[in-house]
Amino acid sequence: MENVKVAIWGFGAMGSGMARMLLHKKGVDIVGVCDMHPERVGKSIFEVLGVARGARKDVLIKADIDEVLTDKCCDVCLCATDSFTKNAFPRLKLALEKKVNVISTAEEMSYPQAQNPDLAEELNKIAKENGVTILGTGINPGLIMDLLVVCLTGCMTDVKHIEAKRVNSLSPFGPAVMEEQGVGMKVDDFMAGVESGHLAGHVGFSESVNMIADALGWKVEKFEQQMAPIVTTVDRKSPYGFAAAGDVAGVNMTGQGYVDGEVKIDMIHPQQIEPEMEGTHTGDYITIKGTPEVNMAIKPEVDGGLGTIAMVVNMIPHVINARPGLKTMIDLPVPRAIMGDFRDMIER
Amino acid sequence: MENVKVAIWGFGAMGSGMARMLLHKKGVDIVGVCDMHPERVGKSIFEVLGVARGARKDVLIKADIDEVLTDKCCDVCLCATDSFTKNAFPRLKLALEKKVNVISTAEEMSYPQAQNPDLAEELNKIAKENGVTILGTGINPGLIMDLLVVCLTGCMTDVKHIEAKRVNSLSPFGPAVMEEQGVGMKVDDFMAGVESGHLAGHVGFSESVNMIADALGWKVEKFEQQMAPIVTTVDRKSPYGFAAAGDVAGVNMTGQGYVDGEVKIDMIHPQQIEPEMEGTHTGDYITIKGTPEVNMAIKPEVDGGLGTIAMVVNMIPHVINARPGLKTMIDLPVPRAIMGDFRDMIER
């Protein structure tokens, strides 16, 4: 059997991380990469990654997707270009119409039914017409605050209330994340940014809440979310961020899913640089009231960057094996690390 | 759409618990129950369960399976009769040949490929010939020490070592479990029971280890397990068990899966009555070395009885939806609590 063939669209931190991971795996080849960053276009991925090419065929980074994706040129295209379904849509459509399976890192694509049901239906239709599958995934949304919650309810006869809490550190992230999350801002500027919708915060609560509810058969009547500044009382410094005492070290996002007139799903996600400086310990916590109760903790929190890279790469065989259409994490078998040959995981 | 129709074979603690759970759910009916216990045969399940029948059709417990299962009489039969694949096999075969899907609670059936590959292949063949699906599941094996481990590796780029540890209390269990696990025995008698193979201990390590390894693409070269007595220094009493100081309060089971010449999967499962009396706190722990590392704890441990009942009932729609053949938990979508109508979860 031939190696599994993968194309990567977007060669930033996520896309290049996936490439690095794939180069360590058996039975899988990177056959094309598309990225528009002027510093990368035209270069070999091995040069950009600083990895020895060995006996592998070279792969040059192309700015034009039509030079990368041709009909059935590969088994799957990993799209690491966007956060929002609407922005990602034209790219996802293009890839599907080349009759290749697609995995998107766009947070909203982890459950596009939540905020873009029309686009979700459209992607489902395009994928089916072309005999391929499309999935959105990542660490969160994708696993920690949704799929893992769903999985843990599997051992319950009755669920009354779900709380998913992810307390993580933004210290490993770069300047773009610092800006999106408001790190270093004055509190007034932060509040103005929330008001104007300029500050993104975490993208994915609506997706996680709807994924959980649909999996369990609950109907979400109302969804709300809030963004509050995490104000530091000491100066905090990370490689790419700085928050002076009195300023914003991060954002505390909270969200609620209402079912049968009450909040049945609570999402809590404080993200900040250097949380330990004020005694905050990172971790992922799932507390499910019902029968029997489940109280789970992962400490420290699962690394977000590596986690997203792994989730996307590890879902490749499931996406290739799936029936055509739009799938979400609750439709497919559980994710798993791939320590053997990718080809052994493909159903013939 | 008609309600989902369920038959139950074996109406002990597990089977009757599943019935009780199903009676609280929407869009699903119990259409038949088989059990040979003289105290139950001929009685209404509502009488045995102490649940008001309401507008439901009565269901009388039959000793003869042929009076319960006829061709395509129901969508799924829940078999809660055995722990071992070999013992369960004739019953599972009979049910599959009536063209009904099957979910078995037999611990070995959670991954029959591990110890009975021939029977697993035979069940796969029979299921396919009859256009139905068979699955084995439960809380453990089935979720805590295997599927949940697999799921958590999904966010890892590389896995070096897995430790799954379940520290639970046997206090809620009845006389049969006390005997199987050696509770109250003299240490010498316990050791003799281990030697002769008379003491069962936990059934499922081989299944969990092989499920994890196959999911990740590891080859298990060797599997070993050990049973050691947990000797109490104080008198311990539970509703159905008693261990005097110096005697056996439970069993500490350990198991190892060897991959590439080293132990890559460690299973640790101490079970005892009244663990708190000597400072042992119950919980489920998964520690995965690799990139990134994952350290998970569920405290207290997920209740084993309720957990098994829930897993079996919650997997009903996935089993009905699956393609024909033998499936395991790593082949199907993640389990989930069913809080809505069962019919909404069936794919047409």
Side-chain angles (χ1 to χ4, degrees):
Chain A
M1 191 190 182
E2 270 188 68
N3 279 2
V4 172
K5 296 200 283 269
V6 180
I8 301 175
W9 195 346
F11 215 63
M14 292 299 102
S16 65
M18 292 168 204
R20 197 179 300 274
M21 178 175 169
L22 284 165
L23 292 176
H24 283 94
K25 299 291 174 185
K26 288 192 285 277
V28 59
D29 292 325
I30 301 170
V31 296
V33 169
C34 178
D35 188 273
M36 301 204 302
H37 197 290
E39 274 183 21
R40 295 191 280 261
V41 173
K43 286 195 178 149
S44 158
I45 62 166
F46 298 99
E47 183 191 345
V48 172
L49 295 171
V51 171
R53 176 156 72 88
R56 297 183 191 93
K57 268 175 82 173
D58 204 0
V59 180
L60 299 181
I61 298 174
K62 306 282 175 69
D64 181 357
I65 189 64
D66 290 328
E67 290 185 51
V68 175
L69 287 187
T70 54
D71 269 18
K72 300 189 184 184
C73 67
C74 59
D75 296 297
V76 64
C77 176
L78 311 180
C79 287
T81 50
D82 297 275
S83 283
F84 303 101
T85 299
K86 206 182 274 186
N87 300 346
F89 182 82
R91 281 184 267 269
L92 303 175
K93 180 172 187 284
L94 185 153
L96 293 172
E97 288 175 343
K98 300 291 184 191
K99 301 186 197 311
V100 302
N101 299 292
V102 172
I103 305 179
S104 166
T105 61
E107 288 93 324
E108 287 188 354
M109 273 301 297
S110 68
Y111 209 71
Q113 297 90 332
Q115 301 201 63
N116 303 92
D118 293 351
L119 293 181
E121 191 37 50
E122 183 75 8
L123 287 169
N124 187 38
K125 195 171 143 259
I126 298 169
K128 284 186 174 172
E129 283 168 1
N130 288 281
V132 290
T133 305
I134 176 166
L135 170 78
T137 196
I139 193 70
N140 185 42
L143 179 65
I144 297 297
M145 296 180 85
D146 39 43
L147 186 75
L148 191 52
V149 172
V150 170
C151 185
L152 290 171
T153 68
C155 64
M156 300 177 70
T157 61
D158 182 52
V159 177
K160 296 200 185 311
H161 180 267
I162 290 167
E163 182 187 286
K165 183 172 172 180
R166 178 162 166 84
V167 182
N168 71 332
S169 172
L170 294 176
S171 290
F173 291 91
V177 169
M178 295 302 122
E179 201 184 316
E180 282 163 23
Q181 309 295 329
V183 173
M185 290 178 90
K186 296 282 168 203
V187 175
D188 285 351
D189 296 341
F190 179 96
M191 297 312 288
V194 172
E195 190 73 21
S196 69
H198 183 76
L199 273 178
H202 169 69
V203 177
F205 274 177
S206 175
E207 289 67 27
S208 294
V209 164
N210 280 282
M211 190 195 296
I212 292 169
D214 285 355
L216 272 60
W218 277 346
K219 196 174 152 31
V220 180
E221 294 147 2
K222 191 169 69 169
F223 167 75
E224 290 176 341
Q225 66 176 21
Q226 303 83 31
M227 282 177 71
I230 298 174
V231 181
T232 182
T233 63
V234 296
D235 286 2
R236 299 197 205 175
K237 195 175 168 0
S238 68
Y240 295 95
F242 174 74
D247 291 346
V248 176
V251 51
N252 184 23
M253 292 210 54
T254 45
Q256 303 82 34
Y258 288 76
V259 178
D260 297 335
E262 54 182 324
V263 175
K264 288 214 174 164
I265 307 176
D266 263 307
M267 313 294 280
I268 305 169
H269 190 13
Q271 311 191 81
Q272 59 199 293
I273 58 167
E274 302 298 298
E276 298 77 12
M277 285 186 70
E278 288 190 272
T280 296
H281 297 286
T282 65
D284 297 312
Y285 307 91
I286 297 172
T287 309
I288 318 181
K289 302 288 179 200
T291 310
E293 300 205 349
V294 176
N295 296 289
M296 189 221 73
I298 297 175
K299 291 191 274 192
E301 98 277 20
V302 175
D303 185 292
L306 283 169
T308 293
I309 288 164
M311 287 292 289
V312 170
V313 170
N314 288 331
M315 288 304 289
I316 290 174
H318 289 340
V319 167
I320 294 175
N321 291 336
R323 299 179 212 181
L326 169 69
K327 302 291 171 188
T328 73
M329 290 301 290
I330 55 174
D331 301 319
L332 299 177
V334 290
R336 62 205 61 177
I338 303 177
M339 299 305 296
D341 193 307
F342 268 61
R343 293 170 295 182
D344 294 340
M345 305 189 67
I346 307 300
E347 292 169 12
R348 283 130 220 236
Chain B
M1 192 192 182
E2 270 188 70
N3 279 2
V4 171
K5 294 200 286 270
V6 180
I8 302 175
W9 195 346
F11 214 63
M14 291 299 102
S16 64
M18 291 167 203
R20 197 179 299 276
M21 178 175 170
L22 285 165
L23 292 176
H24 283 94
K25 298 292 175 185
K26 288 192 285 278
V28 60
D29 293 324
I30 300 169
V31 297
V33 170
C34 179
D35 189 273
M36 300 204 301
H37 197 290
E39 274 182 23
R40 293 191 280 262
V41 172
K43 287 197 178 146
S44 158
I45 61 165
F46 298 99
E47 183 191 345
V48 171
L49 295 172
V51 172
R53 176 157 73 86
R56 298 184 191 91
K57 268 174 82 171
D58 204 3
V59 179
L60 299 181
I61 298 175
K62 305 284 174 70
D64 182 357
I65 190 66
D66 290 328
E67 290 185 50
V68 175
L69 286 187
T70 53
D71 269 18
K72 299 190 183 182
C73 67
C74 59
D75 298 296
V76 64
C77 177
L78 312 179
C79 288
T81 51
D82 297 275
S83 283
F84 303 101
T85 300
K86 207 183 277 185
N87 301 345
F89 182 81
R91 281 183 267 270
L92 303 176
K93 181 172 187 284
L94 185 152
L96 293 172
E97 288 176 342
K98 299 292 183 188
K99 302 186 196 309
V100 301
N101 299 293
V102 172
I103 306 179
S104 166
T105 61
E107 288 94 324
E108 286 188 356
M109 274 299 297
S110 68
Y111 210 71
Q113 296 90 331
Q115 302 202 63
N116 302 93
D118 293 351
L119 294 181
E121 191 37 49
E122 184 75 8
L123 287 169
N124 187 38
K125 196 171 140 258
I126 298 168
K128 284 187 173 170
E129 282 168 0
N130 288 279
V132 289
T133 306
I134 177 166
L135 170 77
T137 194
I139 192 71
N140 186 41
L143 179 66
I144 298 296
M145 296 181 85
D146 39 43
L147 186 75
L148 190 52
V149 172
V150 170
C151 184
L152 289 171
T153 68
C155 63
M156 301 177 69
T157 60
D158 182 52
V159 177
K160 295 198 184 314
H161 181 266
I162 290 167
E163 182 187 287
K165 183 172 173 181
R166 177 161 166 85
V167 182
N168 70 333
S169 171
L170 294 175
S171 291
F173 291 92
V177 169
M178 296 302 122
E179 201 184 316
E180 281 163 25
Q181 308 295 331
V183 173
M185 290 178 90
K186 297 284 169 201
V187 175
D188 286 351
D189 296 340
F190 180 96
M191 299 311 289
V194 172
E195 190 74 22
S196 68
H198 183 76
L199 275 177
H202 168 70
V203 178
F205 274 177
S206 174
E207 289 68 27
S208 294
V209 164
N210 280 283
M211 190 195 295
I212 293 169
D214 286 354
L216 272 60
W218 277 346
K219 196 174 151 31
V220 179
E221 294 148 0
K222 189 168 70 167
F223 167 76
E224 290 177 340
Q225 67 177 20
Q226 304 81 33
M227 282 176 70
I230 299 174
V231 181
T232 181
T233 64
V234 295
D235 287 1
R236 298 198 205 174
K237 194 173 167 4
S238 68
Y240 295 94
F242 174 75
D247 291 346
V248 176
V251 52
N252 183 24
M253 292 210 53
T254 45
Q256 302 83 33
Y258 289 77
V259 177
D260 297 335
E262 55 182 323
V263 176
K264 288 216 174 161
I265 307 177
D266 263 307
M267 312 294 278
I268 304 168
H269 189 13
Q271 312 190 79
Q272 58 199 293
I273 58 167
E274 303 298 299
E276 298 78 11
M277 286 187 69
E278 289 189 272
T280 297
H281 298 285
T282 65
D284 297 311
Y285 308 91
I286 296 171
T287 309
I288 318 181
K289 301 289 181 200
T291 310
E293 299 206 349
V294 177
N295 296 289
M296 190 221 73
I298 296 176
K299 291 192 272 194
E301 98 277 21
V302 175
D303 185 293
L306 283 169
T308 293
I309 288 164
M311 288 292 290
V312 170
V313 170
N314 288 332
M315 289 304 289
I316 290 174
H318 290 340
V319 167
I320 294 174
N321 291 337
R323 300 179 211 180
L326 169 70
K327 301 291 171 188
T328 73
M329 290 302 290
I330 54 174
D331 301 319
L332 299 177
V334 290
R336 63 207 60 177
I338 304 176
M339 299 305 297
D341 193 307
F342 267 61
R343 292 170 296 182
D344 295 341
M345 305 189 68
I346 308 301
E347 292 168 12
R348 282 133 222 233

